[in-house]
Structure formats: structure tokens, C-alpha cells
Amino acid sequence: MEIWNIHNLHLLQALPAERVEQREIPAEHMVLKQTFDSLVQRCQLAAQDPQTKRKLDDASKRLGYLYDKLREQTLSNNILGGLHEISRCVAGKNYQRGLEVHTAVVTSSNFSEIQAFMPILKVVMTIANKLGV
């Protein structure tokens, strides 16, 4: 019996490790990931209260859904354009304008396409505006 186990172990070691390939975010959309991740990080550094910190931890996870959609290239041009405009607003710390663009994107899009990440993006911009980061 023990010989059989050793034999199976050698067979398992001979099998190639299964690789889970994760596609890259297209280069033209990497600015979205960089801008939004940076915003969350700046907020996390400035946040004092536990509730805000929890919201920001949640934001990091939920933005992963956006990044998955970017990798899969499944977002409409309207949403992509809005996200890039929001990103420019965030980069310029014009959160009020970013929130206006956010509202326009949400009202003109299929909510099922954006429900996993747009609500938390609004929360993060609101927190950033409040914290002045």
C-alpha cells in the first residue's frame, strides 16, 4: 500500500501545475486602475474612523469587479467614456464633477452592467471629497 502512495506521489509531481491565466487590463484602461486604486489608498491613509476604513476596504474588493470587466472587455463605450472622464476628474481632485459624470453614466447605462462597481466608486469619491485628499 505504501509503495502505491509513493508511486502516485511521483505521478502527481510529474503533472504540470495548472495555471490560471488572468488577462491584462488593456493598456488604454490601465489609467483607470491606477487612478482609482490611488484614490482608495489616499483615502485609507487619511481616514480616521473605523466605518470609513471598512468602506474603503470594501471598495478595494469591489473595484476588482470593474478591473475584471476591463480585462474581459465587456463594458460599453458609454460606460468606458464615463469612467475615463471620472478618472480625469479624480486626478484633478474635482470630485463634484466626478460625481456629476457618475450620475450621468448610471442613468444612461444598463444597471446590471455596472452594479458591482459604480455604487462603490461614488462612495469613494464622496469620502475623498470629505477628507480633502
Side-chain angles (χ1 to χ4, degrees):
M1 192 67 159
E2 206 163 310
I3 294 172
W4 184 83
N5 286 339
I6 291 172
H7 179 70
N8 280 346
L9 182 62
H10 286 295
L11 287 176
L12 288 174
Q13 288 173 338
L15 294 174
E18 186 177 329
R19 293 184 61 209
V20 177
E21 290 273 332
Q22 189 174 40
R23 293 162 74 180
E24 292 290 320
I25 293 174
E28 66 270 21
H29 301 311
M30 275 304 293
V31 68
L32 298 175
K33 183 175 186 334
Q34 293 161 347
T35 302
F36 298 147
D37 284 351
S38 172
L39 179 64
V40 170
Q41 289 170 357
R42 289 195 315 267
C43 289
Q44 285 172 325
L45 290 172
Q48 299 296 316
D49 65 287
Q51 183 180 7
T52 301
K53 289 180 184 235
R54 277 192 302 276
K55 285 181 185 176
L56 293 166
D57 288 341
D58 184 46
S60 293
K61 294 174 191 136
R62 288 181 185 257
L63 285 172
Y65 294 116
L66 166 60
Y67 306 148
D68 289 343
K69 293 232 180 232
L70 292 172
R71 283 183 195 95
E72 296 160 8
Q73 300 182 37
T74 56
L75 294 172
S76 70
N77 287 334
N78 177 55
I79 293 169
L80 288 170
L83 288 168
H84 279 278
E85 181 61 26
I86 291 169
S87 173
R88 286 188 287 276
C89 293
V90 165
K93 297 184 180 182
N94 187 351
Y95 303 118
Q96 196 56 48
R97 176 70 184 134
L99 290 167
E100 291 168 7
V101 174
H102 180 280
T103 299
V105 171
V106 169
T107 57
S108 65
S109 301
N110 179 350
F111 191 69
S112 65
E113 195 177 359
I114 58 174
Q115 68 184 4
F117 58 86
M118 283 303 266
I120 201 67
L121 193 52
K122 180 179 181 178
V123 168
V124 174
M125 284 190 288
T126 302
I127 291 171
N129 195 34
K130 183 178 134 193
L131 295 174
V133 296

